[in-house]
Amino acid sequence: MEQRATTHHVNKLSFILLILSLAFPSSSFELRPSVADSTFLHRNDTAISDFRVLNRRALFQCPDLNPYLQINVTTQGDLSDEQFITVNVSGVLVPSDGDWVAMVSPSFSNVTTCLGSEAYYLQTGDTSILPLLCHYPVKAKYVTSDPSYLSCESQKCQKYGNNGDCEVRTCAGSLSFHVVNIRTNIDFVFFAGGFSTPCILTKTDVPLKFSNPNSPLHGHLSSIDSTATSMRLTWVSGDKEPQQVQYGDGKSQTSEVTTFSAADMCSEFRLGSVVVPSPAKDFGWHDPGYIHTAVMSGLQPSSTFNYKYGSDAVGWSAEIQFRTPPAGGSDELKFLVFGDMGKAPLDSSAEHYIQPGSISVIKGMTEEVENGNVDSIFHIGDISYATGFLVEWDYFLNLITPLASKVSYMTAIGNHERDYSDSGSWYTGPDSGGECGVPYETYFPMPTPAKDKPWYSIEQGSVHFTVISTEHDWTEKSEQYEWMKTEMASVDRSKTPWLVFTGHRPMYSSLGADDQFLETVEPLLLNNKVDLVLFGHVHNYERTCSIYKSECLAMPEKDKNGIDTYDNTNYTAPVQAIVGMAGFSLDKFPDDAPSWSLVRISEFGYVRAHATKDELKLEFVNSDTKNVDDSFIITKK
């Protein structure tokens, strides 16, 4: 959710464009049709940070003819699947706080100038003069990250005079970069001028390559049905040949292999008769390799098994222990739920899109999983925030591996996975950067009815989860609406007494929500006696009373431990909660909150839930302090 954060920038840019067009109506600066409108449509592709709009900056010619300048990488041989490497710049005559190093992949990317592509960048409202920096770096760091750089503590004499005195001294700096196996070669490029006025000084002589670009990586689990006797494993490799997952006592399954290309990405923004590529088709594209998936069958619910995946040809993963969730209808379930997590760099680099709370949230949840306190995980929208910069999916998958490789990792689609202009999404903003759900559905195959119909239900323990897509048509008589209506009406509450409804965009938020969504779907919740509704999209934590049509039909009472307890024995209405505080920069609450908003917390964290047949308890865990900042219970007697 970024609209509030970027509106100021969008309005300011639109105003500047308007003034310039009035002042110079016949000049070469005159905008092409629809560019001013496109600025608003593509607000999520610009106005975020200097680095995020880097590839739309004018690329200047560096005046530096320094013959001593070098950049090299300290590493032993080819790159492993994950490691930290040291990048050294040396021979610098005058260190500047505008000096920076970019990691670029693939190594043959054009990081010089991007001539003839002006229309591509006008899509985002950028009117920079040509030439432009053409390809988008994976990540970058200012050399001032080395605190000794500006003071030139690391010196070298490059030229001695006849009397033996040093006539030319140069400075050096070292930076650490976290690298994961993205299958393609990598260059490091040394720039001057900062992110706003970049120019290239030098680059590594020989690209770095990964020792095994075909390695099987990022294995993550998901449930395929409510029996918990089968689990789907999905992983990524540079090799298109089928591989295997070996599990249990000598069992194995061969993978099905798929991929996607830039041609699969959406690009429906038009300038006149020209279709302009989205970030996913153009400067944000990176080859995803091949996505493998295989179903491990013949398992037992609530049981522990080992597995490994790969092949003799490409190598094998380490052996991993995982736990199946409880079968639907059994007594107990422990799960984690959150939205809007994304990822952040482990090396303090600048990246296209950073969700600062994600590291502490991942760390906290990993400890929960390692302690055996988690049966499954639900990530309800805004998954990686790659938003058209495809290499960031690899970094996200690497980040969640300690969780998703060990328990069922279920997902719902969000605006940053699906939405794009004229793509069929219900909301027409550019939030997916042209991905249009293709990478998301490929990396996270859920038990959905069909492609681009990302809604499903699943039962685990005493809970029936109804997972919808707020990004697809949910209006009355739509396919998804009819599915929701039929699906929730069919739940056997003697088997799964708790009905939890979840998706990405909320019905209730102190910061506002879609009234049409509320008016259309909320009656289904009441009619089917939904107990709990969980949403993300807004980046904080908020809990309501038992609410319907913005009115509190019931209030919780404190139990003997002082915990808010909702008694659903005599059902009144659902409890709703926003759990979008798992990574993206937090949203502050307004000073005046509606009466139905009982708890409001703007801190990073996740929700820990424990369901039995009689009680559903949820706790908001602050990932920085590890404290439980809110807890509530729903009971049925």
Side-chain angles (χ1 to χ4, degrees):
M1 180 182 177
E2 301 175 7
Q3 185 168 348
R4 294 186 307 282
T6 59
T7 298
H8 169 74
H9 299 281
V10 170
N11 290 341
K12 182 178 178 182
L13 180 55
S14 298
F15 177 76
I16 292 171
L17 295 176
L18 175 63
I19 295 300
L20 287 170
S21 65
L22 292 174
F24 305 99
S26 59
S27 73
S28 60
F29 189 85
E30 186 172 357
L31 297 177
R32 304 185 186 194
S34 302
V35 170
D37 290 338
S38 78
T39 302
F40 176 75
L41 286 175
H42 293 271
R43 63 184 179 270
N44 284 330
D45 293 333
T46 186
I48 300 299
S49 70
D50 286 342
F51 183 76
R52 194 170 176 195
V53 294
L54 182 65
N55 63 310
R56 295 180 288 282
R57 297 305 189 198
L59 186 69
F60 295 95
Q61 186 65 40
C62 275
D64 195 330
L65 301 177
N66 178 358
Y68 309 112
L69 203 60
Q70 290 186 341
I71 181 171
N72 61 73
V73 178
T74 302
T75 182
Q76 305 248 345
D78 294 336
L79 299 171
S80 63
D81 292 334
E82 180 181 13
Q83 69 180 94
F84 286 85
I85 61 174
T86 300
V87 178
N88 307 293
V89 295
S90 60
V92 180
L93 292 171
V94 182
S96 167
D97 58 7
D99 296 343
W100 57 284
V101 173
M103 172 180 158
V104 177
S105 179
S107 60
F108 53 79
S109 299
N110 184 357
V111 290
T112 53
T113 61
C114 198
L115 297 169
S117 300
E118 182 180 10
Y120 291 9
Y121 302 100
L122 287 175
Q123 174 187 183
T124 62
D126 188 279
T127 56
S128 298
I129 59 172
L130 296 174
L132 295 161
L133 179 63
C134 187
H135 195 88
Y136 196 89
V138 174
K139 56 172 63 184
K141 271 190 174 185
Y142 279 97
V143 190
T144 51
S145 297
D146 180 343
S148 68
Y149 180 63
L150 288 180
S151 59
C152 199
E153 294 179 20
S154 178
Q155 295 185 2
K156 181 178 180 180
C157 184
Q158 300 287 359
K159 183 180 178 182
Y160 291 92
N162 293 332
N163 61 359
D165 294 336
C166 184
E167 294 183 350
V168 179
R169 295 182 185 273
T170 59
C171 310
S174 296
L175 304 173
S176 177
F177 282 87
H178 176 233
V179 179
V180 301
N181 190 340
I182 52 177
R183 298 166 299 281
T184 53
N185 291 353
I186 292 172
D187 269 336
F188 285 91
V189 183
F190 187 22
F191 287 86
F195 295 155
S196 296
T197 56
C199 65
I200 296 176
L201 292 169
T202 188
K203 60 185 291 188
T204 45
D205 292 332
V206 179
L208 281 75
K209 62 181 181 178
F210 290 96
S211 59
N212 184 5
N214 295 329
S215 284
L217 298 169
H218 315 319
H220 51 282
L221 299 162
S222 60
S223 298
I224 68 168
D225 58 30
S226 302
T227 68
T229 58
S230 297
M231 294 284 281
R232 183 183 300 278
L233 178 69
T234 304
W235 69 94
V236 180
S237 172
D239 186 47
K240 66 180 179 180
E241 296 301 319
Q243 298 171 20
Q244 286 189 329
V245 55
Q246 296 180 353
Y247 64 99
D249 188 15
K251 296 179 181 178
S252 68
Q253 289 289 337
T254 301
S255 66
E256 295 181 359
V257 188
T258 188
T259 190
F260 53 89
S261 69
D264 297 314
M265 304 294 100
C266 287
S267 191
E268 289 299 322
F269 180 76
R270 293 179 179 272
L271 289 174
S273 61
V274 179
V275 177
V276 181
S278 64
K281 274 186 180 286
D282 183 35
F283 42 79
W285 173 255
H286 187 274
D287 191 328
Y290 296 91
I291 294 85
H292 295 251
T293 182
V295 174
M296 295 181 282
S297 57
L299 307 175
Q300 296 296 320
S302 301
S303 301
T304 300
F305 300 89
N306 291 343
Y307 71 90
K308 64 179 182 178
Y309 55 94
S311 71
D312 291 340
V314 303
W316 294 88
S317 73
E319 190 167 72
I320 301 165
Q321 186 177 86
F322 76 102
R323 180 175 175 81
T324 55
S330 57
D331 289 342
E332 189 177 18
L333 173 69
K334 297 177 181 179
F335 65 96
L336 306 180
V337 61
F338 56 89
D340 306 79
M341 185 173 68
K343 52 104 195 82
L346 300 182
D347 56 11
S348 301
S349 291
E351 292 181 352
H352 157 65
Y353 218 166
I354 293 173
Q355 293 70 52
S358 58
I359 300 298
S360 66
V361 169
I362 283 285
K363 183 178 179 181
M365 294 192 298
T366 299
E367 290 177 2
E368 302 258 13
V369 170
E370 290 176 347
N371 291 334
N373 296 329
V374 181
D375 296 316
S376 63
I377 294 173
F378 287 81
H379 185 165
I380 53 174
D382 285 4
I383 307 298
S384 74
Y385 286 96
T387 60
F389 293 76
L390 277 300
V391 73
E392 302 212 354
W393 278 106
D394 286 286
Y395 274 92
F396 172 77
L397 292 169
N398 178 75
L399 187 67
I400 67 167
T401 295
L403 299 169
S405 64
K406 296 179 180 178
V407 295
S408 175
Y409 196 95
M410 308 302 290
T411 58
I413 200 167
N415 54 302
H416 284 293
E417 285 74 61
R418 182 60 185 85
D419 297 0
Y420 202 72
S421 305
D422 298 324
S423 70
S425 58
W426 179 249
Y427 298 95
T428 58
D431 297 358
S432 77
E435 291 185 11
C436 298
V438 174
Y440 163 75
E441 289 195 278
T442 308
Y443 288 125
F444 291 95
M446 294 291 114
T448 59
K451 184 178 180 180
D452 205 28
K453 296 181 182 181
W455 50 84
Y456 63 95
S457 65
I458 196 158
E459 294 178 345
Q460 294 179 348
S462 55
V463 183
H464 181 103
F465 295 92
T466 298
V467 183
I468 72 159
S469 169
T470 56
E471 311 312 301
H472 291 73
D473 189 355
W474 34 254
T475 58
E476 201 165 350
K477 297 184 180 179
S478 68
E479 181 180 357
Q480 184 175 201
Y481 180 91
E482 292 299 326
W483 175 84
M484 286 188 280
K485 182 178 179 181
T486 302
E487 194 277 328
M488 287 191 287
S490 67
V491 178
D492 182 352
R493 303 301 283 270
S494 65
K495 178 184 176 186
T496 50
W498 303 110
L499 177 50
V500 175
F501 183 92
T502 187
H504 185 58
R505 295 176 187 256
M507 292 181 178
Y508 292 98
S509 167
S510 294
L511 296 173
D514 186 339
D515 290 340
Q516 185 184 0
F517 177 51
L518 174 68
E519 292 169 5
T520 302
V521 179
E522 189 183 30
L524 292 179
L525 308 182
L526 191 73
N527 293 342
N528 292 286
K529 296 185 176 181
V530 169
D531 296 289
L532 178 65
V533 180
L534 298 170
F535 290 118
H537 193 60
V538 182
H539 306 129
N540 52 38
Y541 173 86
E542 187 167 18
R543 171 164 63 86
T544 73
C545 56
S546 296
I547 189 170
Y548 185 66
K549 292 188 176 180
S550 301
E551 298 288 338
C552 289
L553 301 190
M555 296 290 289
E557 296 183 357
K558 300 290 185 182
D559 70 2
K560 63 182 180 181
N561 297 313
I563 298 174
D564 277 357
T565 302
Y566 301 79
D567 188 353
N568 275 17
T569 304
N570 296 312
Y571 180 83
T572 55
V575 180
Q576 300 216 14
I578 291 174
V579 294
M581 66 289 124
F584 197 97
S585 298
L586 295 165
D587 290 325
K588 295 181 179 179
F589 288 98
D591 293 333
D592 297 324
S595 59
W596 46 256
S597 177
L598 304 187
V599 178
R600 295 171 300 282
I601 301 172
S602 186
E603 299 285 349
F604 292 119
Y606 56 93
V607 168
R608 178 170 61 207
H610 182 196
T612 64
K613 292 282 189 180
D614 301 322
E615 181 180 283
L616 178 58
K617 182 177 182 180
L618 287 90
E619 298 176 320
F620 169 58
V621 181
N622 183 316
S623 59
D624 292 324
T625 66
K626 305 297 175 65
N627 294 332
V628 174
D629 287 357
D630 181 49
S631 59
F632 66 97
I633 297 171
I634 306 174
T635 63
K636 290 181 181 178
K637 299 176 182 176

